[in-house]
Amino acid sequence: MQKTTVSTVLRYSLVAGVAAVMATTAHAQTTLRLSTYVNEVDVRYEGFKKFAELVNTKTSGRVKVEIFGSSTLHGWSEGVDAMQGGVADISWVSADKRLPCYRVTSLYPMAVDMKKQIELDAAYAALIAPEANKAGLVPLINSNYSYDQEWWFKNPNTDLAKLNGKLVRSIGPMVSMMIETWGGKPVFIAPKEVFQSAERGVVDGINMGVATYSAWKLWGVMPHMVQSNMFYGNIQYMMNKRKFDALSPADQKALQAAATESEVWLKPRYEAWVDASIADAVKQGGTVTKITAEKRKALLDSVVGKWTGEVDAGCGPELAGKVRALFKQHSL
């Protein structure tokens, strides 16, 4: 009787132990570190919180997204290194030479028809995906740059075509080319350093997104905006491919679905927030100079041809043709 009892106890203990291990495995949680340069004031931070919420729901808690704002994990140009080195799992990717086509097309001179921006961004991400995969990355979240990348200057009514030696903050190589074409001198400054640079007079003008500009309270130091609507912008948030591949197929699908749903959720809120930020800045003494369609076309015509060679070199003729065809479908 004693032997039977001991044997039974041991057997049930073993079964319980196995069940506990299986339960732990079933509920094992993957944590993804999402790095962004936006701060908590920025409406896009709410978009990332929505993304994290959707990921948690769609994976039944198996995947958790932690958000690190205000470039706390790495600097503006270090997204690829941060993901490859394990500092971040998801990050924005700037104009990195390891992604040569993305580098010259993620910010592109054109007037965008915003009616199908979600579809445009998704199609662009699909074109760039093979290049990203080779660099160990997976495109995940598309940004809303097309709506709000603009210009600010110390004085009102600045003519973009006549920058006359002005030092203008640039976000990357294409914007630098535009500034030089129009007679200015590009200066690269990371987003969270722009306020001090503007306040100290390091630059005469700034190229930046309205949301970032407003969230970092820059209207107070450089209040005069030129609203040009002349950019396609999709500074994508990508994910470390090894980390993505380690997820189950179901969780990979859930992560991508959450990304798309968060983009759709954010778009109207983002645009309303940008518009409200501009209106509030005007009330506080800022100005907005809107350029005409004819002026926009002239400015774009002066730079698009110069950028064609860069796109062909970065993408190769075939992919360059596909990117340009996509952009043409969604241009005004």
Side-chain angles (χ1 to χ4, degrees):
M1 184 69 180
Q2 182 67 21
K3 288 184 179 180
T4 303
T5 302
V6 171
S7 175
T8 301
V9 170
L10 290 173
R11 184 168 64 251
Y12 278 109
S13 296
L14 180 61
V15 170
V18 171
V21 171
M22 291 177 66
T24 301
T25 303
H27 291 87
Q29 189 179 74
T30 297
T31 299
L32 302 176
R33 294 160 62 89
L34 188 156
S35 173
T36 179
Y37 59 90
V38 307
N39 63 23
E40 294 188 26
V41 176
D42 195 312
V43 67
R44 288 169 293 180
Y45 197 90
E46 295 301 314
F48 292 126
K49 287 169 64 176
K50 183 66 174 180
F51 169 65
E53 173 190 315
L54 288 168
V55 168
N56 184 67
T57 300
K58 289 178 180 294
T59 64
S60 300
R62 293 185 300 275
V63 180
K64 177 184 177 183
V65 176
E66 292 184 347
I67 305 164
F68 296 83
S70 303
S71 303
T72 51
L73 293 185
H74 59 83
W76 172 258
S77 302
E78 299 164 357
V80 175
D81 289 328
M83 286 184 283
Q84 290 180 344
V87 174
D89 302 306
I90 301 169
S91 174
W92 81 91
V93 176
S94 58
D96 195 291
K97 291 183 179 180
R98 286 163 287 190
L99 301 167
C101 187
Y102 173 82
R103 179 175 182 268
V104 295
T105 57
S106 56
L107 196 62
Y108 191 86
M110 65 177 282
V112 180
D113 183 348
M114 298 295 292
K115 289 193 292 291
K116 294 186 177 180
Q117 184 205 336
I118 298 293
E119 294 85 348
L120 165 59
D121 287 353
Y124 174 75
L127 288 175
I128 296 300
E131 175 178 272
N133 293 165
K134 287 181 181 179
L137 304 171
V138 176
L140 186 61
I141 303 173
N142 297 300
S143 72
N144 305 58
Y145 261 75
S146 302
Y147 192 73
D148 79 336
Q149 190 74 13
E150 292 297 353
W151 308 86
W152 287 262
F153 296 93
K154 291 180 179 179
N155 300 312
N157 303 311
T158 297
D159 186 348
L160 289 178
K162 299 176 182 178
L163 293 179
N164 299 330
K166 287 183 174 64
L167 299 174
V168 183
R169 185 259 180 175
S170 172
I171 187 179
M174 193 274 293
V175 175
S176 294
M177 180 273 294
M178 298 172 86
I179 294 168
E180 290 172 342
T181 298
W182 301 331
K185 297 179 181 179
V187 181
F188 176 76
I189 304 170
K192 67 179 183 179
E193 298 170 2
V194 173
F195 184 95
Q196 288 185 339
S197 297
E199 193 174 42
R200 295 173 182 175
V202 175
V203 291
D204 306 303
I206 296 170
N207 177 267
M208 203 175 204
V210 180
T212 308
Y213 198 85
S214 300
W216 289 102
K217 310 299 183 185
L218 283 158
W219 286 94
V221 292
M222 199 168 287
H224 304 295
M225 174 183 175
V226 176
Q227 193 169 30
S228 62
N229 297 316
M230 60 167 56
F231 294 99
Y232 170 67
N234 190 352
I235 309 303
Q236 294 183 32
Y237 282 76
M238 299 191 188
M239 181 173 174
N240 179 300
K241 191 173 185 299
R242 291 193 306 273
K243 199 77 179 259
F244 181 82
D245 291 342
L247 298 174
S248 69
D251 286 347
Q252 290 177 0
K253 185 177 180 180
L255 196 70
Q256 291 171 321
T260 300
E261 286 185 33
S262 66
E263 292 167 16
V264 173
W265 179 88
L266 179 61
K267 186 178 188 302
R269 293 167 174 82
Y270 181 83
E271 294 176 0
W273 194 84
V274 166
D275 292 346
S277 296
I278 294 174
D280 184 63
V282 170
K283 289 179 182 178
Q284 301 300 319
T287 66
V288 177
T289 302
K290 295 185 179 183
I291 66 172
T292 64
E294 291 76 18
K295 178 73 170 180
R296 181 186 305 114
K297 183 179 185 304
L299 288 167
L300 288 172
D301 287 347
S302 72
V303 296
V304 170
K306 292 183 177 182
W307 201 239
T308 297
E310 295 289 336
V311 174
D312 288 341
C315 302
E318 183 179 355
L319 182 55
K322 291 179 179 178
V323 171
R324 279 193 284 262
L326 174 65
F327 289 168
K328 186 176 181 180
Q329 291 173 18
H330 293 270
S331 64
L332 291 173

